[in-house]
């Protein structure tokens, strides 16, 4: 009997499509068919290997989707504010009332260290209505009540990095030359440029160290460079802004050519990409995403103050052997923690451990 799984999802970004396609293929081998219903779709030209539902996310449409696709279980990774708390709660209660199982998939709650007690309480109350929880890493279990923790599984959050190394056909020197980069040692910042990413700290460090380390360059990739930050780049011969890169080969080449990966502020899945390429990470000890679980003292420096960040940057610049050793540890962390197998096995284990295996059937209606 084929089990139909509905994944309620926020906006489907281009880099998530391969992950969802691999999940679909994996679940198909376990007897599941994956339907993904996002709040919106980005870069729809990405080839998908699952049923994509493209209609407004209303409760009436939700009832139709459950019926038309004969959904057996629902997994939601929606934010409570999108498409709204009423839909968020109603979709779970309706699924369970009609004989289907319902799972939460995500952070577990706001991971900020300054999370209010009321937020912790409210998140745990909402988790009570689910049959099971699927968290990104084990570190989030510490925020859960015991009754919620007992039904929580872990699907390690990652990216589909399979075969990315095979995209590299040019040497580092050729890649840098094609990008117009004169220096041979590279610090890479890659991600959406937002205040919480603290690009200013990275620019400060290069202003302080650039003259004494002329062989080093800062390469910035990502959308959102504002006027002030852009002005700081003008006239500097060791800072390069490449804009957003969506081409897989171009992004793979930039990562393979860099020596150190650094986003001083909040990081997320960029950690996975850096570990895959065996690049040590330099950042501040701030409220990172759950992927910070993959970081340790062997593969990264987490600095408490900007001044310490500058000194650790100097340490990297002065010690190429340290970069090599920490880069090897970074790659080991990816292999041991971040592979797609860890995600897929964890996801399946979570949905198959709770409640009955058959879920909704025609007699339940």
């Amino acid at each position: 009997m084929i089990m139909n799984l509905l994944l309620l999802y926020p906006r489907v970004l281009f880099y998530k499509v391969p992950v969802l396609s691999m999940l679909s293929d994996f679940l198909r081998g376990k007897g599941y068919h994956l339907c993904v219903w996002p709040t919106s779709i980005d870069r729809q030209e990405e080839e998908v290997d699952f049923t994509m539902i493209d209609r407004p996310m209303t409760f009436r449409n939700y009832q139709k989707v459950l019926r038309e696709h004969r959904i057996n279980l629902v997994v939601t990774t929606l934010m409570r504010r999108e498409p709204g708390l009423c839909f968020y709660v109603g979709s779970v209660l309706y699924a369970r009332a009609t004989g289907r199982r319902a799972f939460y998939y995500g952070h577990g709650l706001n991971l900020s260290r300054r999370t209010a007690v009321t937020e912790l309480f409210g998140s745990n109350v909402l988790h009570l209505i689910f049959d099971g929880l699927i968290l990104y890493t084990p570190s989030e279990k510490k925020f859960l009540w015991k009754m919620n923790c007992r039904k929580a599984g872990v699907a390690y959050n990652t990216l589909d990095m399979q075969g990315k190394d095979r995209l590299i056909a040019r040497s580092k020197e050729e890649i840098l030359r094609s990008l117009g980069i004169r220096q041979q040692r590279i610090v890479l910042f890659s991600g959406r440029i937002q205040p919480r990413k603290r690009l200013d700290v990275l620019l400060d460090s290069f202003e302080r160290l650039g003259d004494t380390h002329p062989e080093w360059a800062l390469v910035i990739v990502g959308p959102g460079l504002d006027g002030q930050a852009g002005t700081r780049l003008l006239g500097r011969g060791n800072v390069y802004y490449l804009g957003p890169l969506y081409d897989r080969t171009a992004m793979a080449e930039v990562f393979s050519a860099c020596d150190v990966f650094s986003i001083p502020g909040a990081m997320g899945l960029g950690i996975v990409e850096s570990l895959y390429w065996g690049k040590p990470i330099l950042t501040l000890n701030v409220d990172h995403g759950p992927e910070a679980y993959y970081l340790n003292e062997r593969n990264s420096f987490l600095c408490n103050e900007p001044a310490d960040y500058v000194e650790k940057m100097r340490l990297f610049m002065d010690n190429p052997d340290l970069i090599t050793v920490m880069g090897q540890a970074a790659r080991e962390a990816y292999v041991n923690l971040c592979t797609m197998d860890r995600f897929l096995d964890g996801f399946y284990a979570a949905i198959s451990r709770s409640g009955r295996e058959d879920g909704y059937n025609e007699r339940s209606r």
Side-chain angles (χ1 to χ4, degrees):
M1 174 183 172
I2 297 294
M3 302 279 287
N4 295 305
L5 186 157
L6 175 64
L7 180 61
L8 298 173
Y9 209 77
R11 183 162 61 113
V12 173
L13 298 170
F14 72 97
Y15 59 83
K16 277 296 187 180
V17 171
V19 174
L20 294 173
S21 291
M22 288 190 71
L23 176 62
S24 176
D25 182 63
F26 176 82
L27 291 177
R28 190 179 299 119
K30 302 291 185 181
Y32 288 81
H33 175 75
L34 178 64
C35 303
V36 179
W37 187 6
T39 55
S40 61
I41 302 170
D42 181 49
R43 294 181 67 82
Q44 197 172 359
E45 67 271 16
E46 293 287 328
E47 191 173 326
V48 302
D49 186 29
F50 49 86
T51 298
M52 180 83 83
I53 299 170
D54 186 9
R55 62 175 72 177
M57 194 175 283
T58 65
F59 193 74
R60 183 179 294 254
N61 282 338
Y62 176 70
Q63 293 173 303
K64 292 179 181 178
V65 167
L66 294 186
R67 183 174 62 253
E68 292 169 4
H69 293 271
R70 297 185 177 184
I71 299 299
N72 300 95
L73 65 158
V74 176
V75 178
T76 182
T77 187
L78 298 174
M79 301 292 184
R80 296 198 296 267
R81 65 180 180 273
E82 186 183 6
L85 185 60
C86 290
F87 182 91
Y88 184 92
V89 174
S91 62
V92 177
L93 296 180
Y94 182 81
R96 299 193 66 182
T98 52
R100 301 167 173 92
R101 290 184 292 146
F103 291 81
Y104 170 88
Y105 174 36
H107 293 149
L109 72 165
N110 185 343
L111 295 179
S112 169
R113 299 174 188 147
R114 296 174 293 279
T115 299
V117 173
T118 53
E119 169 67 17
L120 293 172
F121 178 83
S123 293
N124 273 285
V125 167
L126 284 175
H127 291 329
L128 293 175
I129 68 177
F130 291 93
D131 289 291
L133 311 175
I134 310 172
L135 305 179
Y136 286 150
T137 67
S139 60
E140 296 138 77
K141 288 187 176 182
K142 64 186 176 184
F143 297 107
L144 300 179
W145 293 342
K146 287 184 178 180
M147 62 186 76
N148 286 326
C149 196
R150 284 194 292 268
K151 62 181 181 182
V154 176
Y156 289 81
N157 202 32
T158 190
L159 293 168
D160 175 23
M161 302 299 297
Q162 184 174 308
K164 290 293 180 70
D165 56 331
R166 294 195 294 271
L167 297 174
I168 308 303
R170 300 189 290 178
S171 67
K172 176 177 179 175
E173 290 73 21
E174 290 172 325
I175 294 170
L176 295 180
R177 191 182 310 118
S178 70
L179 295 172
I181 297 173
R182 298 186 299 275
Q183 295 80 1
Q184 292 301 305
R185 308 307 300 266
I186 305 298
V187 175
L188 175 63
F189 175 106
S190 174
R192 188 174 296 277
I193 301 169
Q194 302 167 323
R196 66 190 183 95
K197 302 288 187 178
R198 298 298 307 274
L199 177 58
D200 59 305
V201 174
L202 184 48
L203 291 172
D204 285 341
S205 70
F206 262 77
E207 286 181 351
R208 296 177 62 176
L209 300 174
D211 292 340
T212 56
H213 297 81
E215 74 280 14
W216 281 86
L218 168 61
V219 174
I220 302 170
V221 176
L225 188 68
D226 62 28
Q228 184 177 4
T231 300
R232 294 187 63 178
L233 299 180
L234 297 177
R236 297 201 59 84
N238 60 351
V239 180
Y240 301 83
Y241 178 53
L242 305 184
L245 291 180
Y246 297 116
D247 181 78
R248 290 185 177 89
T249 299
M251 198 65 245
E253 286 188 334
V254 170
F255 257 103
S256 70
C258 81
D259 298 275
V260 175
F261 182 74
S262 182
I263 296 178
M267 290 195 296
L269 284 168
I271 292 172
V272 173
E273 202 161 7
S274 180
L275 296 180
Y276 171 85
W277 290 106
K279 308 301 178 180
I281 293 172
L282 175 60
T283 186
L284 293 171
N285 189 15
V286 296
D287 296 330
H288 296 293
E291 296 79 15
Y293 176 81
Y294 307 139
L295 301 180
N296 57 50
E297 67 279 358
R298 296 179 61 240
N299 60 38
S300 58
F301 286 131
L302 273 71
C303 306
N304 291 322
E305 301 292 340
D308 185 33
Y309 175 92
V310 174
E311 289 309 308
K312 290 300 189 294
M313 180 72 77
R314 190 195 308 274
L315 186 62
F316 274 137
M317 290 179 169
D318 291 338
N319 294 274
D321 290 343
L322 176 65
I323 294 175
T324 300
V325 171
M326 293 184 70
Q328 291 170 346
R331 179 63 185 182
E332 289 173 9
Y334 174 82
V335 171
N336 294 330
L337 294 173
C338 309
T339 61
M340 282 295 297
D341 287 343
R342 299 268 287 175
F343 160 67
L344 297 172
D345 290 341
F347 190 96
Y348 175 69
I351 64 173
S352 61
R353 67 183 284 193
S354 301
R356 59 193 184 283
E357 286 299 313
D358 57 339
Y360 169 81
N361 57 54
E362 287 298 308
R363 294 187 298 274
S364 302
R365 290 194 294 178

